[in-house]
Amino acid sequence: MPDQVRLVMPADPEFLRLARVTAMGLASRLSFTLDEIDDLRIAIDELLFGLMGTRGRPGTVSMTYSVHERSLEVVGTGAFDDGLPTAGLTELSELILDAVADEHALTTTDGAPSFRLLKRRIEV
């Protein structure tokens, strides 16, 4: 079973830094390169903005970071109080995520919006 770190934060863009710093710290443990860590940071931003919009929403985002031998998987789930639909990803966000992430998805299951991100370490 992979090591896991859980983070619950307000669905407010001011807290995105916490999500990024956590991902960056865990990626450093996996010996990701600086470029890979920067890709991860960009992917976290795009997916969180897709989940909660650029202005945030009332509620929380729960994130689980799973540290595998050669990859970092991040799953985020929104619990919002406003009942509005998820902002979703723009076409540009999809292109960016395709370029910086190995796998990504933003979905809604049983009314709960969530995302999944997988970033693998490049072997040299």
Side-chain angles (χ1 to χ4, degrees), residues 26-61:
L26 294 171
S28 292
R29 285 189 58 209
L30 289 168
S31 300
F32 277 35
T33 66
L34 290 177
D35 286 341
E36 292 167 331
I37 292 171
D38 202 39
D39 287 349
L40 190 59
R41 180 189 61 79
I42 292 167
I44 294 280
D45 277 358
E46 292 297 328
L47 287 165
L48 280 171
F49 281 129
L51 189 70
M52 65 184 180
T54 56
R55 295 183 177 183
R57 299 172 67 174
T60 58
V61 175

PDB file of all heavy atoms in Angstrom, residues 26-61:
ATOM      1  N   LEU A  26       6.217  16.005  -1.665  1.00  0.00           N
ATOM      2  CA  LEU A  26       6.156  14.557  -1.897  1.00  0.00           C
ATOM      3  C   LEU A  26       6.905  14.182  -3.175  1.00  0.00           C
ATOM      4  O   LEU A  26       7.574  13.148  -3.228  1.00  0.00           O
ATOM      5  CB  LEU A  26       4.700  14.102  -1.957  1.00  0.00           C
ATOM      6  CG  LEU A  26       3.938  14.253  -0.632  1.00  0.00           C
ATOM      7  CD1 LEU A  26       2.452  13.988  -0.832  1.00  0.00           C
ATOM      8  CD2 LEU A  26       4.515  13.325   0.430  1.00  0.00           C
ATOM      9  N   ALA A  27       6.798  15.002  -4.201  1.00  0.00           N
ATOM     10  CA  ALA A  27       7.515  14.727  -5.446  1.00  0.00           C
ATOM     11  C   ALA A  27       9.027  14.784  -5.223  1.00  0.00           C
ATOM     12  O   ALA A  27       9.779  14.004  -5.825  1.00  0.00           O
ATOM     13  CB  ALA A  27       7.099  15.726  -6.518  1.00  0.00           C
ATOM     14  N   SER A  28       9.468  15.665  -4.362  1.00  0.00           N
ATOM     15  CA  SER A  28      10.904  15.732  -4.037  1.00  0.00           C
ATOM     16  C   SER A  28      11.371  14.433  -3.394  1.00  0.00           C
ATOM     17  O   SER A  28      12.474  13.960  -3.674  1.00  0.00           O
ATOM     18  CB  SER A  28      11.177  16.891  -3.083  1.00  0.00           C
ATOM     19  OG  SER A  28      10.960  18.105  -3.723  1.00  0.00           O
ATOM     20  N   ARG A  29      10.537  13.865  -2.526  1.00  0.00           N
ATOM     21  CA  ARG A  29      10.881  12.572  -1.905  1.00  0.00           C
ATOM     22  C   ARG A  29      11.058  11.483  -2.951  1.00  0.00           C
ATOM     23  O   ARG A  29      11.811  10.532  -2.745  1.00  0.00           O
ATOM     24  CB  ARG A  29       9.787  12.142  -0.918  1.00  0.00           C
ATOM     25  CG  ARG A  29       9.786  12.899   0.362  1.00  0.00           C
ATOM     26  CD  ARG A  29       8.840  12.293   1.369  1.00  0.00           C
ATOM     27  NE  ARG A  29       9.186  10.907   1.626  1.00  0.00           N
ATOM     28  CZ  ARG A  29       8.304   9.976   1.992  1.00  0.00           C
ATOM     29  NH1 ARG A  29       7.038  10.281   2.130  1.00  0.00           N
ATOM     30  NH2 ARG A  29       8.693   8.747   2.211  1.00  0.00           N
ATOM     31  N   LEU A  30      10.324  11.604  -4.069  1.00  0.00           N
ATOM     32  CA  LEU A  30      10.402  10.614  -5.139  1.00  0.00           C
ATOM     33  C   LEU A  30      11.510  10.933  -6.142  1.00  0.00           C
ATOM     34  O   LEU A  30      11.618  10.272  -7.170  1.00  0.00           O
ATOM     35  CB  LEU A  30       9.064  10.543  -5.878  1.00  0.00           C
ATOM     36  CG  LEU A  30       7.918   9.917  -5.102  1.00  0.00           C
ATOM     37  CD1 LEU A  30       6.592  10.172  -5.800  1.00  0.00           C
ATOM     38  CD2 LEU A  30       8.165   8.424  -4.951  1.00  0.00           C
ATOM     39  N   SER A  31      12.297  11.960  -5.853  1.00  0.00           N
ATOM     40  CA  SER A  31      13.397  12.387  -6.733  1.00  0.00           C
ATOM     41  C   SER A  31      12.911  12.858  -8.097  1.00  0.00           C
ATOM     42  O   SER A  31      13.578  12.638  -9.119  1.00  0.00           O
ATOM     43  CB  SER A  31      14.435  11.257  -6.898  1.00  0.00           C
ATOM     44  OG  SER A  31      14.971  10.898  -5.653  1.00  0.00           O
ATOM     45  N   PHE A  32      11.736  13.487  -8.142  1.00  0.00           N
ATOM     46  CA  PHE A  32      11.283  14.104  -9.386  1.00  0.00           C
ATOM     47  C   PHE A  32      12.271  15.215  -9.743  1.00  0.00           C
ATOM     48  O   PHE A  32      12.853  15.855  -8.868  1.00  0.00           O
ATOM     49  CB  PHE A  32       9.897  14.721  -9.214  1.00  0.00           C
ATOM     50  CG  PHE A  32       8.739  13.764  -9.363  1.00  0.00           C
ATOM     51  CD1 PHE A  32       8.808  12.451  -8.947  1.00  0.00           C
ATOM     52  CD2 PHE A  32       7.558  14.195  -9.922  1.00  0.00           C
ATOM     53  CE1 PHE A  32       7.737  11.586  -9.081  1.00  0.00           C
ATOM     54  CE2 PHE A  32       6.467  13.342 -10.064  1.00  0.00           C
ATOM     55  CZ  PHE A  32       6.557  12.035  -9.648  1.00  0.00           C
ATOM     56  N   THR A  33      12.431  15.470 -11.032  1.00  0.00           N
ATOM     57  CA  THR A  33      13.273  16.591 -11.457  1.00  0.00           C
ATOM     58  C   THR A  33      12.514  17.896 -11.210  1.00  0.00           C
ATOM     59  O   THR A  33      11.296  17.901 -10.983  1.00  0.00           O
ATOM     60  CB  THR A  33      13.604  16.496 -12.958  1.00  0.00           C
ATOM     61  OG1 THR A  33      12.386  16.657 -13.700  1.00  0.00           O
ATOM     62  CG2 THR A  33      14.273  15.173 -13.297  1.00  0.00           C
ATOM     63  N   LEU A  34      13.224  19.009 -11.311  1.00  0.00           N
ATOM     64  CA  LEU A  34      12.568  20.311 -11.132  1.00  0.00           C
ATOM     65  C   LEU A  34      11.475  20.526 -12.181  1.00  0.00           C
ATOM     66  O   LEU A  34      10.410  21.068 -11.875  1.00  0.00           O
ATOM     67  CB  LEU A  34      13.595  21.440 -11.198  1.00  0.00           C
ATOM     68  CG  LEU A  34      14.561  21.518 -10.006  1.00  0.00           C
ATOM     69  CD1 LEU A  34      15.583  22.634 -10.229  1.00  0.00           C
ATOM     70  CD2 LEU A  34      13.819  21.738  -8.709  1.00  0.00           C
ATOM     71  N   ASP A  35      11.733  20.093 -13.422  1.00  0.00           N
ATOM     72  CA  ASP A  35      10.712  20.227 -14.467  1.00  0.00           C
ATOM     73  C   ASP A  35       9.477  19.386 -14.139  1.00  0.00           C
ATOM     74  O   ASP A  35       8.346  19.823 -14.353  1.00  0.00           O
ATOM     75  CB  ASP A  35      11.281  19.812 -15.828  1.00  0.00           C
ATOM     76  CG  ASP A  35      12.235  20.851 -16.398  1.00  0.00           C
ATOM     77  OD1 ASP A  35      12.198  22.019 -15.945  1.00  0.00           O
ATOM     78  OD2 ASP A  35      13.029  20.485 -17.283  1.00  0.00           O
ATOM     79  N   GLU A  36       9.684  18.185 -13.634  1.00  0.00           N
ATOM     80  CA  GLU A  36       8.550  17.325 -13.274  1.00  0.00           C
ATOM     81  C   GLU A  36       7.757  17.931 -12.114  1.00  0.00           C
ATOM     82  O   GLU A  36       6.524  17.873 -12.094  1.00  0.00           O
ATOM     83  CB  GLU A  36       9.039  15.922 -12.906  1.00  0.00           C
ATOM     84  CG  GLU A  36       9.597  15.147 -14.081  1.00  0.00           C
ATOM     85  CD  GLU A  36      10.349  13.903 -13.672  1.00  0.00           C
ATOM     86  OE1 GLU A  36      10.931  13.852 -12.560  1.00  0.00           O
ATOM     87  OE2 GLU A  36      10.370  12.953 -14.482  1.00  0.00           O
ATOM     88  N   ILE A  37       8.459  18.507 -11.163  1.00  0.00           N
ATOM     89  CA  ILE A  37       7.785  19.145 -10.032  1.00  0.00           C
ATOM     90  C   ILE A  37       6.997  20.363 -10.509  1.00  0.00           C
ATOM     91  O   ILE A  37       5.865  20.585 -10.083  1.00  0.00           O
ATOM     92  CB  ILE A  37       8.808  19.526  -8.939  1.00  0.00           C
ATOM     93  CG1 ILE A  37       9.373  18.255  -8.292  1.00  0.00           C
ATOM     94  CG2 ILE A  37       8.183  20.447  -7.894  1.00  0.00           C
ATOM     95  CD1 ILE A  37      10.547  18.491  -7.349  1.00  0.00           C
ATOM     96  N   ASP A  38       7.569  21.126 -11.430  1.00  0.00           N
ATOM     97  CA  ASP A  38       6.850  22.276 -11.971  1.00  0.00           C
ATOM     98  C   ASP A  38       5.614  21.825 -12.750  1.00  0.00           C
ATOM     99  O   ASP A  38       4.550  22.444 -12.647  1.00  0.00           O
ATOM    100  CB  ASP A  38       7.788  23.097 -12.860  1.00  0.00           C
ATOM    101  CG  ASP A  38       7.311  24.522 -13.012  1.00  0.00           C
ATOM    102  OD1 ASP A  38       6.812  25.093 -12.020  1.00  0.00           O
ATOM    103  OD2 ASP A  38       7.434  25.064 -14.123  1.00  0.00           O
ATOM    104  N   ASP A  39       5.735  20.740 -13.518  1.00  0.00           N
ATOM    105  CA  ASP A  39       4.567  20.188 -14.217  1.00  0.00           C
ATOM    106  C   ASP A  39       3.473  19.799 -13.222  1.00  0.00           C
ATOM    107  O   ASP A  39       2.287  20.056 -13.456  1.00  0.00           O
ATOM    108  CB  ASP A  39       4.962  18.937 -15.023  1.00  0.00           C
ATOM    109  CG  ASP A  39       5.771  19.250 -16.262  1.00  0.00           C
ATOM    110  OD1 ASP A  39       5.879  20.435 -16.639  1.00  0.00           O
ATOM    111  OD2 ASP A  39       6.304  18.292 -16.855  1.00  0.00           O
ATOM    112  N   LEU A  40       3.882  19.201 -12.135  1.00  0.00           N
ATOM    113  CA  LEU A  40       2.923  18.780 -11.106  1.00  0.00           C
ATOM    114  C   LEU A  40       2.207  19.996 -10.512  1.00  0.00           C
ATOM    115  O   LEU A  40       0.989  19.988 -10.326  1.00  0.00           O
ATOM    116  CB  LEU A  40       3.669  17.996 -10.029  1.00  0.00           C
ATOM    117  CG  LEU A  40       2.873  17.274  -8.983  1.00  0.00           C
ATOM    118  CD1 LEU A  40       1.933  16.254  -9.598  1.00  0.00           C
ATOM    119  CD2 LEU A  40       3.811  16.584  -8.004  1.00  0.00           C
ATOM    120  N   ARG A  41       2.943  21.041 -10.246  1.00  0.00           N
ATOM    121  CA  ARG A  41       2.372  22.270  -9.699  1.00  0.00           C
ATOM    122  C   ARG A  41       1.329  22.850 -10.661  1.00  0.00           C
ATOM    123  O   ARG A  41       0.226  23.216 -10.255  1.00  0.00           O
ATOM    124  CB  ARG A  41       3.484  23.303  -9.460  1.00  0.00           C
ATOM    125  CG  ARG A  41       3.006  24.614  -8.885  1.00  0.00           C
ATOM    126  CD  ARG A  41       4.113  25.653  -8.872  1.00  0.00           C
ATOM    127  NE  ARG A  41       4.622  25.961 -10.214  1.00  0.00           N
ATOM    128  CZ  ARG A  41       4.004  26.774 -11.075  1.00  0.00           C
ATOM    129  NH1 ARG A  41       2.868  27.341 -10.751  1.00  0.00           N
ATOM    130  NH2 ARG A  41       4.523  27.017 -12.258  1.00  0.00           N
ATOM    131  N   ILE A  42       1.665  22.888 -11.922  1.00  0.00           N
ATOM    132  CA  ILE A  42       0.745  23.412 -12.930  1.00  0.00           C
ATOM    133  C   ILE A  42      -0.520  22.545 -13.011  1.00  0.00           C
ATOM    134  O   ILE A  42      -1.639  23.060 -13.057  1.00  0.00           O
ATOM    135  CB  ILE A  42       1.446  23.484 -14.313  1.00  0.00           C
ATOM    136  CG1 ILE A  42       2.547  24.547 -14.282  1.00  0.00           C
ATOM    137  CG2 ILE A  42       0.436  23.750 -15.425  1.00  0.00           C
ATOM    138  CD1 ILE A  42       3.500  24.494 -15.460  1.00  0.00           C
ATOM    139  N   ALA A  43      -0.340  21.233 -12.978  1.00  0.00           N
ATOM    140  CA  ALA A  43      -1.485  20.318 -13.068  1.00  0.00           C
ATOM    141  C   ALA A  43      -2.415  20.470 -11.859  1.00  0.00           C
ATOM    142  O   ALA A  43      -3.645  20.486 -12.007  1.00  0.00           O
ATOM    143  CB  ALA A  43      -0.993  18.877 -13.192  1.00  0.00           C
ATOM    144  N   ILE A  44      -1.830  20.608 -10.680  1.00  0.00           N
ATOM    145  CA  ILE A  44      -2.641  20.807  -9.461  1.00  0.00           C
ATOM    146  C   ILE A  44      -3.477  22.082  -9.601  1.00  0.00           C
ATOM    147  O   ILE A  44      -4.677  22.091  -9.313  1.00  0.00           O
ATOM    148  CB  ILE A  44      -1.739  20.887  -8.207  1.00  0.00           C
ATOM    149  CG1 ILE A  44      -1.049  19.561  -7.942  1.00  0.00           C
ATOM    150  CG2 ILE A  44      -2.516  21.395  -6.990  1.00  0.00           C
ATOM    151  CD1 ILE A  44      -1.885  18.523  -7.259  1.00  0.00           C
ATOM    152  N   ASP A  45      -2.864  23.161 -10.052  1.00  0.00           N
ATOM    153  CA  ASP A  45      -3.588  24.427 -10.232  1.00  0.00           C
ATOM    154  C   ASP A  45      -4.754  24.257 -11.211  1.00  0.00           C
ATOM    155  O   ASP A  45      -5.876  24.670 -10.928  1.00  0.00           O
ATOM    156  CB  ASP A  45      -2.660  25.515 -10.761  1.00  0.00           C
ATOM    157  CG  ASP A  45      -1.861  26.183  -9.670  1.00  0.00           C
ATOM    158  OD1 ASP A  45      -2.038  25.842  -8.486  1.00  0.00           O
ATOM    159  OD2 ASP A  45      -1.037  27.059 -10.014  1.00  0.00           O
ATOM    160  N   GLU A  46      -4.480  23.675 -12.366  1.00  0.00           N
ATOM    161  CA  GLU A  46      -5.525  23.544 -13.392  1.00  0.00           C
ATOM    162  C   GLU A  46      -6.695  22.707 -12.877  1.00  0.00           C
ATOM    163  O   GLU A  46      -7.854  23.053 -13.083  1.00  0.00           O
ATOM    164  CB  GLU A  46      -4.940  22.919 -14.668  1.00  0.00           C
ATOM    165  CG  GLU A  46      -3.948  23.794 -15.398  1.00  0.00           C
ATOM    166  CD  GLU A  46      -4.556  25.092 -15.920  1.00  0.00           C
ATOM    167  OE1 GLU A  46      -5.746  25.101 -16.276  1.00  0.00           O
ATOM    168  OE2 GLU A  46      -3.828  26.100 -15.957  1.00  0.00           O
ATOM    169  N   LEU A  47      -6.393  21.592 -12.216  1.00  0.00           N
ATOM    170  CA  LEU A  47      -7.467  20.714 -11.752  1.00  0.00           C
ATOM    171  C   LEU A  47      -8.259  21.348 -10.603  1.00  0.00           C
ATOM    172  O   LEU A  47      -9.482  21.218 -10.538  1.00  0.00           O
ATOM    173  CB  LEU A  47      -6.905  19.357 -11.356  1.00  0.00           C
ATOM    174  CG  LEU A  47      -6.497  18.507 -12.564  1.00  0.00           C
ATOM    175  CD1 LEU A  47      -5.610  17.348 -12.142  1.00  0.00           C
ATOM    176  CD2 LEU A  47      -7.722  17.999 -13.309  1.00  0.00           C
ATOM    177  N   LEU A  48      -7.568  22.046  -9.709  1.00  0.00           N
ATOM    178  CA  LEU A  48      -8.302  22.695  -8.614  1.00  0.00           C
ATOM    179  C   LEU A  48      -9.167  23.846  -9.126  1.00  0.00           C
ATOM    180  O   LEU A  48     -10.296  24.020  -8.670  1.00  0.00           O
ATOM    181  CB  LEU A  48      -7.337  23.175  -7.530  1.00  0.00           C
ATOM    182  CG  LEU A  48      -6.877  22.080  -6.578  1.00  0.00           C
ATOM    183  CD1 LEU A  48      -5.753  22.573  -5.680  1.00  0.00           C
ATOM    184  CD2 LEU A  48      -8.035  21.560  -5.739  1.00  0.00           C
ATOM    185  N   PHE A  49      -8.663  24.606 -10.087  1.00  0.00           N
ATOM    186  CA  PHE A  49      -9.507  25.660 -10.666  1.00  0.00           C
ATOM    187  C   PHE A  49     -10.690  25.039 -11.408  1.00  0.00           C
ATOM    188  O   PHE A  49     -11.798  25.571 -11.373  1.00  0.00           O
ATOM    189  CB  PHE A  49      -8.703  26.568 -11.592  1.00  0.00           C
ATOM    190  CG  PHE A  49      -7.867  27.586 -10.855  1.00  0.00           C
ATOM    191  CD1 PHE A  49      -6.523  27.743 -11.137  1.00  0.00           C
ATOM    192  CD2 PHE A  49      -8.434  28.404  -9.887  1.00  0.00           C
ATOM    193  CE1 PHE A  49      -5.751  28.673 -10.470  1.00  0.00           C
ATOM    194  CE2 PHE A  49      -7.664  29.346  -9.207  1.00  0.00           C
ATOM    195  CZ  PHE A  49      -6.323  29.471  -9.501  1.00  0.00           C
ATOM    196  N   GLY A  50     -10.471  23.912 -12.066  1.00  0.00           N
ATOM    197  CA  GLY A  50     -11.582  23.222 -12.731  1.00  0.00           C
ATOM    198  C   GLY A  50     -12.603  22.704 -11.746  1.00  0.00           C
ATOM    199  O   GLY A  50     -13.808  22.666 -12.024  1.00  0.00           O
ATOM    200  N   LEU A  51     -12.150  22.324 -10.570  1.00  0.00           N
ATOM    201  CA  LEU A  51     -13.043  21.780  -9.544  1.00  0.00           C
ATOM    202  C   LEU A  51     -13.829  22.882  -8.840  1.00  0.00           C
ATOM    203  O   LEU A  51     -15.035  22.780  -8.653  1.00  0.00           O
ATOM    204  CB  LEU A  51     -12.208  20.995  -8.526  1.00  0.00           C
ATOM    205  CG  LEU A  51     -12.957  20.180  -7.492  1.00  0.00           C
ATOM    206  CD1 LEU A  51     -13.634  18.982  -8.136  1.00  0.00           C
ATOM    207  CD2 LEU A  51     -12.003  19.704  -6.400  1.00  0.00           C
ATOM    208  N   MET A  52     -13.153  23.952  -8.452  1.00  0.00           N
ATOM    209  CA  MET A  52     -13.824  24.961  -7.620  1.00  0.00           C
ATOM    210  C   MET A  52     -13.951  26.328  -8.284  1.00  0.00           C
ATOM    211  O   MET A  52     -14.474  27.252  -7.662  1.00  0.00           O
ATOM    212  CB  MET A  52     -13.101  25.103  -6.284  1.00  0.00           C
ATOM    213  CG  MET A  52     -11.706  25.626  -6.358  1.00  0.00           C
ATOM    214  SD  MET A  52     -11.005  25.608  -4.691  1.00  0.00           S
ATOM    215  CE  MET A  52      -9.390  26.241  -5.025  1.00  0.00           C
ATOM    216  N   GLY A  53     -13.514  26.455  -9.532  1.00  0.00           N
ATOM    217  CA  GLY A  53     -13.593  27.742 -10.209  1.00  0.00           C
ATOM    218  C   GLY A  53     -12.475  28.663  -9.776  1.00  0.00           C
ATOM    219  O   GLY A  53     -11.773  28.400  -8.799  1.00  0.00           O
ATOM    220  N   THR A  54     -12.314  29.758 -10.476  1.00  0.00           N
ATOM    221  CA  THR A  54     -11.207  30.667 -10.182  1.00  0.00           C
ATOM    222  C   THR A  54     -11.455  31.543  -8.958  1.00  0.00           C
ATOM    223  O   THR A  54     -10.524  32.097  -8.394  1.00  0.00           O
ATOM    224  CB  THR A  54     -10.936  31.589 -11.385  1.00  0.00           C
ATOM    225  OG1 THR A  54     -12.134  32.288 -11.707  1.00  0.00           O
ATOM    226  CG2 THR A  54     -10.455  30.795 -12.584  1.00  0.00           C
ATOM    227  N   ARG A  55     -12.707  31.652  -8.537  1.00  0.00           N
ATOM    228  CA  ARG A  55     -13.025  32.476  -7.364  1.00  0.00           C
ATOM    229  C   ARG A  55     -13.267  31.652  -6.105  1.00  0.00           C
ATOM    230  O   ARG A  55     -13.522  32.209  -5.038  1.00  0.00           O
ATOM    231  CB  ARG A  55     -14.250  33.328  -7.649  1.00  0.00           C
ATOM    232  CG  ARG A  55     -13.997  34.327  -8.734  1.00  0.00           C
ATOM    233  CD  ARG A  55     -15.188  35.186  -8.936  1.00  0.00           C
ATOM    234  NE  ARG A  55     -14.878  36.193  -9.949  1.00  0.00           N
ATOM    235  CZ  ARG A  55     -15.683  37.129 -10.308  1.00  0.00           C
ATOM    236  NH1 ARG A  55     -16.872  37.220  -9.755  1.00  0.00           N
ATOM    237  NH2 ARG A  55     -15.341  37.991 -11.224  1.00  0.00           N
ATOM    238  N   GLY A  56     -13.261  30.322  -6.248  1.00  0.00           N
ATOM    239  CA  GLY A  56     -13.541  29.479  -5.098  1.00  0.00           C
ATOM    240  C   GLY A  56     -15.030  29.309  -4.878  1.00  0.00           C
ATOM    241  O   GLY A  56     -15.844  29.900  -5.592  1.00  0.00           O
ATOM    242  N   ARG A  57     -15.363  28.490  -3.902  1.00  0.00           N
ATOM    243  CA  ARG A  57     -16.760  28.212  -3.583  1.00  0.00           C
ATOM    244  C   ARG A  57     -16.874  27.959  -2.088  1.00  0.00           C
ATOM    245  O   ARG A  57     -15.906  27.561  -1.441  1.00  0.00           O
ATOM    246  CB  ARG A  57     -17.218  26.952  -4.318  1.00  0.00           C
ATOM    247  CG  ARG A  57     -17.142  27.085  -5.814  1.00  0.00           C
ATOM    248  CD  ARG A  57     -17.402  25.800  -6.494  1.00  0.00           C
ATOM    249  NE  ARG A  57     -18.779  25.364  -6.300  1.00  0.00           N
ATOM    250  CZ  ARG A  57     -19.294  24.309  -6.905  1.00  0.00           C
ATOM    251  NH1 ARG A  57     -18.559  23.588  -7.718  1.00  0.00           N
ATOM    252  NH2 ARG A  57     -20.537  23.957  -6.699  1.00  0.00           N
ATOM    253  N   PRO A  58     -18.075  28.149  -1.532  1.00  0.00           N
ATOM    254  CA  PRO A  58     -18.239  27.771  -0.125  1.00  0.00           C
ATOM    255  C   PRO A  58     -18.171  26.254   0.009  1.00  0.00           C
ATOM    256  O   PRO A  58     -18.849  25.540  -0.724  1.00  0.00           O
ATOM    257  CB  PRO A  58     -19.632  28.310   0.230  1.00  0.00           C
ATOM    258  CG  PRO A  58     -20.332  28.536  -1.068  1.00  0.00           C
ATOM    259  CD  PRO A  58     -19.282  28.739  -2.111  1.00  0.00           C
ATOM    260  N   GLY A  59     -17.318  25.782   0.889  1.00  0.00           N
ATOM    261  CA  GLY A  59     -17.150  24.346   1.084  1.00  0.00           C
ATOM    262  C   GLY A  59     -15.685  23.973   1.203  1.00  0.00           C
ATOM    263  O   GLY A  59     -14.834  24.836   1.458  1.00  0.00           O
ATOM    264  N   THR A  60     -15.395  22.710   1.006  1.00  0.00           N
ATOM    265  CA  THR A  60     -14.026  22.225   1.176  1.00  0.00           C
ATOM    266  C   THR A  60     -13.611  21.339   0.001  1.00  0.00           C
ATOM    267  O   THR A  60     -14.441  20.827  -0.744  1.00  0.00           O
ATOM    268  CB  THR A  60     -13.890  21.383   2.465  1.00  0.00           C
ATOM    269  OG1 THR A  60     -14.796  20.283   2.401  1.00  0.00           O
ATOM    270  CG2 THR A  60     -14.166  22.216   3.707  1.00  0.00           C
ATOM    271  N   VAL A  61     -12.303  21.180  -0.101  1.00  0.00           N
ATOM    272  CA  VAL A  61     -11.714  20.224  -1.040  1.00  0.00           C
ATOM    273  C   VAL A  61     -10.854  19.275  -0.211  1.00  0.00           C
ATOM    274  O   VAL A  61      -9.994  19.716   0.556  1.00  0.00           O
ATOM    275  CB  VAL A  61     -10.858  20.919  -2.111  1.00  0.00           C
ATOM    276  CG1 VAL A  61     -10.168  19.884  -2.992  1.00  0.00           C
ATOM    277  CG2 VAL A  61     -11.711  21.858  -2.954  1.00  0.00           C
TER     278      VAL A  61
END
